[in-house]
Amino acid sequence: MRETYIQMSKYIRYILFAVALLTGGALARAQEPVAEQISLEEVRSAAESHFPLLRQREVMDRVVRESSRAMKYVYIPQVSLTGGVNYISDMPNPTKQDLIKGEKLQVAVPSFLKEMGIPQETWDGMMDETMASIASQIKIPSIPKMQWGIGVSIAQLLWDGGNAAASGRVLRATQAQRDAQTEEALREVRKSVTEIYFGLLKVDGQAALQSTLIEELRRQAERVEAAIASDVATRADAEEIRVELLRAAQDRAALQESRRALLEALTIYTGLSLGEETVVTLPPTPIEPVTDTGGRVAPLRPEHRYYDALTAEAEATYDSYLAGLVPQVMLTATAMYSNPYPNFFKPGAHPFGMVGLSFRWTFGQLYGLGAQRTRLRGMTEMAEMQRQTFEQKTSAELAQARHSVQQSAEQMRLDEEIVSLRKSISDRSAVQVEEGVMTRRDALQLLTKYSAAKQTADLHRIEYLEALYRLAEIER
């Protein structure tokens, strides 16, 4: 029994601990500040800051900056340390006998010796003795078979044909493509956030209309109850109004659930803490940008920058290929310490230096030059065809968006007339009530219709603004 009690006590402690954790989490969430009022510009800015690809773009920007800086290092003098040991099995080591061996010198006897009667053979013997005497005075050093050397070289690139500059342009064009794609993804995020925001505004407007409808149905229910008491109406009339009240309550509940779903989606996009009490304000009328189109449809769209970057990348790649067809010129300086020394008549290891100008010119890339030109034309034409496809699709979207704006503007124009007429009718009903011609219930019904007309006009105003923002999103 005691063991059972101890075991139950453990379970109770576990349960209390879990409840404390859940309660603490709920309190922590409850303590998070909830935005009381939001604007379209605020949620757009928050969505952009909350977008994960922005952090990726920051990382890629750093990579591109470092890569561009590294490309400039080719023009910095390159220092290298070289060295080696070699053994050569056979080296030319001439002796003194080698110098006088071989063909004898054929030197003609001078004329004055001929006159003295000295023959050619005697003269040749004299020359051989002279050469042997000279060879005996020459010291011929030997070249070692084991050779070693160590040195430091400095190479300065003077001209690379523009390869480094072209490679930098390729890198920047690739980064421009990624930036344009990221901007396009951001544009889609802004578009989604704008749709959600106007969805909230329309839900609030429809909820206001629903509240007006419920108020009017309740007023009619009171009128029918009074008529039933006077035996003028039946219970079926009251039940019919009751059914309409239940339908209106269902619609209002559905609108409230839609609002919660839209707020949750907006929270996911923006990272803001939004609740049911958050008020969504009406945005201002968007300002149409004034830009030079240059013959392009929606010139501010990031797709144009993407197609421009595609063309720039193709041109830079072609220029980089052309850079391989011109010689690369380098200035080199080397300090060596080696054995043997370049001056073979100075045996042993000695330091020495060399300074020179060198170039390298390869012709192998000439074979692919035609293919590179074809690739450049193909990439340029493909980018232009993609641009034309984009402009065709965007033109159709712009036409539809402009028609939506015109339609909403016409609805707003008619709403002004409808609201004006409803106000006039409501004002006359107030006078008729004082004169006893109309009951107060009928006057209240006309006032309700006037309020509903104003709310409908506000809803059409929201739809008009949404159409304007949709048109602005397509243009930029």
Side-chain angles (χ1 to χ4, degrees):
M1 183 72 178
R2 180 177 176 79
E3 293 178 355
T4 305
Y5 174 75
I6 293 173
Q7 189 175 6
M8 290 181 63
S9 299
K10 290 181 179 178
Y11 289 153
I12 291 173
R13 285 198 299 271
Y14 292 154
I15 292 172
L16 290 176
F17 182 68
V19 170
L21 286 177
L22 294 174
T23 306
L27 289 175
R29 287 190 296 270
Q31 290 175 357
E32 292 180 0
V34 178
E36 298 180 355
Q37 182 175 317
I38 56 175
S39 63
L40 179 58
E41 189 62 32
E42 180 183 357
V43 297
R44 276 181 160 187
S45 177
E48 291 182 5
S49 302
H50 197 61
F51 192 48
L53 278 181
L54 280 183
R55 291 187 287 276
Q56 177 182 342
R57 185 166 67 177
E58 292 174 359
V59 174
M60 291 307 301
D61 287 342
R62 290 199 300 270
V63 171
V64 170
R65 284 197 301 269
E66 292 300 325
S67 300
S68 299
R69 187 181 304 170
M71 286 181 180
K72 298 177 182 178
Y73 293 162
V74 296
Y75 287 103
I76 295 178
Q78 305 296 313
V79 181
S80 59
L81 178 65
T82 59
V85 177
N86 299 297
Y87 177 79
I88 302 175
S89 61
D90 190 13
M91 286 297 295
N93 289 313
T95 64
K96 296 178 180 180
Q97 296 300 322
D98 293 331
L99 292 178
I100 61 177
K101 188 188 300 183
E103 295 294 332
K104 295 182 178 181
L105 294 176
Q106 298 296 324
V107 180
V109 181
S111 58
F112 72 93
L113 292 178
K114 279 185 179 183
E115 293 177 357
M116 294 173 62
I118 297 177
Q120 182 68 40
E121 291 79 5
T122 304
W123 172 253
D124 291 338
M126 294 172 61
M127 293 301 300
D128 290 341
E129 291 177 1
T130 302
M131 291 299 299
S133 176
I134 294 174
S136 64
Q137 303 297 322
I138 298 176
K139 294 181 179 181
I140 303 175
S142 62
I143 302 175
K145 294 183 178 181
M146 180 67 72
Q147 301 182 358
W148 58 269
I150 187 170
V152 176
S153 298
I154 300 177
Q156 172 65 59
L157 180 64
L158 300 179
W159 171 247
D160 68 344
N163 183 52
S167 299
R169 287 165 51 201
V170 171
L171 191 64
R172 289 190 294 272
T174 305
Q175 178 63 14
Q177 294 175 35
R178 286 195 291 264
D179 289 344
Q181 290 173 339
T182 303
E183 186 60 33
E184 174 60 19
L186 271 174
R187 199 186 71 85
E188 290 297 326
V189 169
R190 287 195 298 267
K191 179 181 176 182
S192 300
V193 168
T194 302
E195 291 177 354
I196 294 173
Y197 192 89
F198 278 101
L200 284 169
L201 286 173
K202 287 189 286 188
V203 164
D204 290 345
Q206 292 169 357
L209 281 173
Q210 207 67 25
S211 298
T212 303
L213 175 61
I214 291 173
E215 181 183 351
E216 176 60 25
L217 288 173
R218 286 174 180 170
R219 197 174 289 124
Q220 289 183 9
E222 293 175 0
R223 180 183 299 178
V224 170
E225 290 293 337
I228 291 174
S230 303
D231 294 331
V232 179
T234 63
R235 181 56 57 184
D237 296 331
E239 291 175 350
E240 183 68 26
I241 293 178
R242 177 64 179 168
V243 169
E244 293 298 326
L245 271 171
L246 291 175
R247 287 179 178 174
Q250 284 181 338
D251 293 340
R252 183 168 63 180
L255 289 172
Q256 290 174 350
E257 187 61 33
S258 297
R259 192 176 194 276
R260 283 193 290 269
L262 290 171
L263 284 172
E264 184 176 354
L266 202 59
T267 299
I268 294 173
Y269 271 112
T270 62
L272 299 175
S273 179
L274 306 176
E276 294 185 9
E277 66 276 9
T278 301
V279 178
V280 184
T281 59
L282 196 66
T285 302
I287 301 175
E288 184 175 356
V290 179
T291 56
D292 183 14
T293 61
R296 291 181 175 180
V297 177
L300 297 180
R301 287 282 291 269
E303 287 88 344
H304 285 295
R305 294 192 290 276
Y306 175 75
Y307 302 136
D308 291 340
L310 279 179
T311 304
E313 181 188 10
E315 293 175 351
T317 303
Y318 180 71
D319 291 342
S320 177
Y321 190 86
L322 290 180
L325 300 177
V326 298
Q328 292 185 352
V329 183
M330 299 185 67
L331 179 65
T332 59
T334 305
M336 292 287 296
Y337 185 79
S338 68
N339 183 21
Y341 186 62
N343 183 1
F344 293 128
F345 294 98
K346 189 177 181 181
H350 299 279
F352 65 96
M354 293 185 296
V355 177
L357 194 67
S358 63
F359 72 94
R360 183 179 59 185
W361 198 349
T362 58
F363 302 96
Q365 289 185 331
L366 282 172
Y367 304 120
L369 183 58
Q372 288 296 320
R373 288 175 178 169
T374 303
R375 180 181 180 274
L376 173 61
R377 287 194 298 267
M379 292 291 293
T380 305
E381 291 174 0
M382 285 177 58
E384 191 59 33
M385 285 187 289
Q386 291 179 14
R387 191 195 305 274
Q388 291 174 3
T389 303
F390 161 74
E391 289 185 342
Q392 184 181 31
K393 178 183 176 182
T394 306
S395 296
E397 293 176 353
L398 284 173
Q400 294 176 359
R402 290 190 180 105
H403 284 301
S404 297
V405 170
Q406 293 174 359
Q407 181 180 356
S408 298
E410 180 65 18
Q411 284 181 336
M412 289 178 58
R413 187 185 65 81
L414 295 176
D415 282 336
E416 292 180 0
E417 186 175 355
I418 292 172
V419 170
S420 178
L421 291 173
R422 284 293 181 190
K423 183 178 185 304
S424 178
I425 293 171
S426 178
D427 292 343
R428 284 199 301 270
S429 67
V431 176
Q432 291 174 352
V433 168
E434 293 179 358
E435 294 175 351
V437 180
M438 181 181 292
T439 62
R440 290 189 179 276
R441 292 182 181 273
D442 292 337
L444 286 174
Q445 184 177 9
L446 292 176
L447 181 60
T448 301
K449 289 182 178 180
Y450 169 56
S451 299
K454 289 196 298 181
Q455 291 166 356
T456 302
D458 292 340
L459 188 59
H460 288 163
R461 168 69 177 170
I462 293 172
E463 292 175 350
Y464 174 70
L465 284 175
E466 183 181 18
L468 286 177
Y469 273 93
R470 189 181 300 115
L471 177 61
E473 286 290 343
I474 295 174
E475 291 179 341
R476 66 181 93 178

